[in-house]
Amino acid sequence: MAAHPTDEQRESSMKPFRIAVPQSAVDDLHRRLRDTRWPEGLPEVAWQRGVPPNYLRELAEYWRTGYDWRAAEAELNAIPQFRVEIDGAPIHFLHVRSPEPDATPLLITHGWPGSVVEFLDVLGPLSDPRAHGGDPADAFHLVIPSPPGFGFSGPHGQTGWNNLRVAKAWAELMRRLGYQRYVAQGGDFGAGISFTLARVDAEHVAGLHLNTLTTTPSGDPGELADLDDEERARLAWAARFLDELAGSMKLQATRPHTIAYSLADSPVGQLAWIVEKFKDWTDSAKVPEDAVSRDRMLTVVSSFWFTGTAGSSAQFYYETLDFLPITRATGRLPALDLPVGLAVFPHAPVKAIRRFAERDLPTIVQWNEYDRGGHFAALEEPDLFVADVREFRRRIAK
């Protein structure tokens, strides 16, 4: 399944990349955090009205005085990363080749408010299982890009970057890297991109593994007649997401420019905008740190802040509404002619209903449900994520 990119292929289009945030930008962040103009008169309540004031003040102060961006930058720079221009946009990606020569190429795509930072804890186990007590046959060559407009892929100033266009760019990226056969994996927007990639590059995609899949009734009343309690609860959970937890989605999908000005100018605004999702969409009890370490979370936020990509990443919502895998008119997913694997985590904001998924995707070969974890699967539960991806590779290799 693996194919080795040649030196000529690498040098013709790939440029090694190192993150080097100027000290002046770090100092500016600290100044802005110190001089924050805080809203007055907000009641000190729990999370049902958004991020609580006392929590955010304390977290912002830690970002200013306790968090070490240079340590995070060094950790990221220890990983091979590159930038390449595809279809007029810069693409930043991690490229971790396994020491196992026959490793399976695996393309992983994150969503919003995601980052390559999500996958730092799974890079070693996935690429070098032998060194982590695993079977070397489970090894992967890892390609982990950020969609245009996200993180170190940077603002690009273009319109039209939706699921389809990104999927075509990913197919071109894998072609330039010399990978003729690969597995696509994704969550959140990365799931939609990977799903679309499996359609447009089916000749080269060996299988599709997702930890996000939206499933809906088709409109046939018979589909709702015999739902069990768990399935009804999942429909209610999805309705709560749309009614209460998707405010950022609705704003960014309709007026992405308007929110961009606030987020680009205020680090506390950017912090609150993202931290809210780490509370609402994860397996957290009282604070986001119950699910994700404080430093990891701040590295994700910092990657948005230092790259100035709050506004450009928000554009993806606007662009992709009409290019989601699920069809608005019918509530159905287009069928795929390749193996599909699903990992369902209980605290994700949307949880797939199996009968609806299998109705549309008869090639599902793996469906695992877990008792812990949420939307940011690799970040919250790296061991479960790694095990699920490995199991899927074994299934499709048979």
Side-chain angles (χ1 to χ4, degrees):
M1 189 179 288
H4 298 281
T6 66
D7 290 340
E8 183 179 355
Q9 285 172 318
R10 288 198 192 99
E11 293 173 0
S12 64
S13 59
M14 311 297 170
K15 295 181 179 179
F17 181 81
R18 284 182 62 82
I19 301 166
V21 172
Q23 186 59 40
S24 59
V26 177
D27 294 342
D28 177 68
L29 167 64
H30 293 167
R31 177 189 62 78
R32 288 170 182 265
L33 289 169
R34 185 194 64 225
D35 296 341
T36 297
R37 183 187 181 197
W38 292 94
E40 299 297 331
L42 297 183
E44 191 56 54
V45 295
W47 289 79
Q48 66 268 22
R49 300 189 185 203
V51 185
N54 284 350
Y55 171 82
L56 194 65
R57 283 178 181 268
E58 192 275 327
L59 183 60
E61 181 63 12
Y62 177 77
W63 194 12
R64 185 177 76 88
T65 62
Y67 171 75
D68 186 351
W69 166 253
R70 292 303 181 199
E73 188 178 70
E75 183 180 15
L76 285 163
N77 281 334
I79 303 160
Q81 51 193 308
F82 300 84
R83 284 184 79 175
V84 61
E85 183 175 306
I86 299 177
D87 195 12
I91 305 296
H92 168 260
F93 63 99
L94 309 182
H95 187 200
V96 181
R97 286 192 54 80
S98 172
E100 308 297 338
D102 295 325
T104 301
L106 175 65
L107 172 64
I108 303 177
T109 308
H110 66 75
W112 184 93
S115 162
V116 296
V117 173
E118 290 180 50
F119 307 103
L120 292 180
D121 294 330
V122 303
L123 296 178
L126 285 175
S127 65
D128 192 4
R130 187 193 301 269
H132 292 79
D135 185 345
D138 287 332
F140 293 95
H141 299 308
L142 301 175
V143 180
I144 307 179
S146 287
F150 284 74
F152 296 98
S153 286
H156 49 75
Q158 302 176 19
T159 61
W161 278 101
N162 51 47
N163 277 346
L164 180 60
R165 190 171 176 185
V166 177
K168 290 179 177 179
W170 281 190
E172 173 63 14
L173 174 62
M174 296 304 274
R175 186 194 69 79
R176 293 191 194 183
L177 288 170
Y179 293 128
Q180 296 300 312
R181 195 80 171 147
Y182 60 93
V183 173
Q185 199 288 327
D188 191 83
F189 275 141
I193 292 167
S194 298
F195 193 105
T196 307
L197 176 62
R199 299 186 70 205
V200 301
D201 199 29
E203 179 183 354
H204 301 107
V205 177
L208 174 67
H209 182 278
L210 305 174
N211 56 278
T212 303
L213 183 69
T214 301
T215 56
T216 65
S218 66
D220 178 359
E223 285 191 334
L224 301 177
D226 61 345
L227 294 180
D228 61 30
D229 290 345
E230 172 60 23
E231 290 167 333
R232 293 184 185 279
R234 292 190 181 194
L235 286 178
W237 188 265
R240 176 176 178 258
F241 170 72
L242 290 174
D243 291 343
E244 180 184 343
L245 304 182
S248 58
M249 177 184 74
K250 293 174 183 178
L251 180 55
Q252 293 181 147
T254 56
R255 297 294 186 270
H257 279 28
T258 303
I259 189 61
Y261 306 114
S262 300
L263 300 183
D265 189 57
S266 169
V268 164
Q270 178 72 92
L271 180 64
W273 195 243
I274 292 179
V275 164
E276 179 192 89
K277 303 313 168 195
F278 279 101
K279 173 60 174 68
D280 286 345
W281 296 356
T282 64
D283 188 357
S284 60
K286 294 182 179 180
V287 292
E289 292 93 320
D290 294 336
V292 177
S293 77
R294 174 170 285 199
D295 282 1
R296 277 281 189 263
M297 187 166 58
L298 287 174
T299 299
V300 172
V301 177
S302 297
S303 69
F304 276 86
W305 176 259
F306 287 130
T307 59
T309 49
S312 56
S313 63
Q315 302 297 317
F316 196 80
Y317 275 95
Y318 187 93
E319 298 286 359
T320 206
L321 275 187
D322 291 327
F323 290 88
L324 296 173
I326 199 161
T327 303
R328 284 187 181 183
T330 66
R332 302 289 295 270
L333 291 159
L336 296 173
D337 292 325
L338 50 79
V340 178
L342 268 294
V344 181
F345 292 86
H347 295 276
V350 176
K351 292 180 285 187
I353 295 176
R354 186 165 186 169
R355 71 172 71 192
F356 295 159
E358 292 179 336
R359 172 199 66 197
D360 298 339
L361 300 174
T363 58
I364 292 175
V365 298
Q366 178 175 307
W367 185 289
N368 288 328
E369 305 231 359
Y370 295 100
D371 61 359
R372 64 185 190 275
H375 189 64
F376 304 94
L379 190 55
E380 295 180 63
E381 299 293 343
D383 290 347
L384 295 182
F385 180 86
V386 167
D388 208 274
V389 173
R390 286 176 176 173
E391 179 185 347
F392 180 65
R393 189 212 61 81
R394 293 187 209 113
R395 287 182 183 274
I396 67 175
K398 291 179 180 177

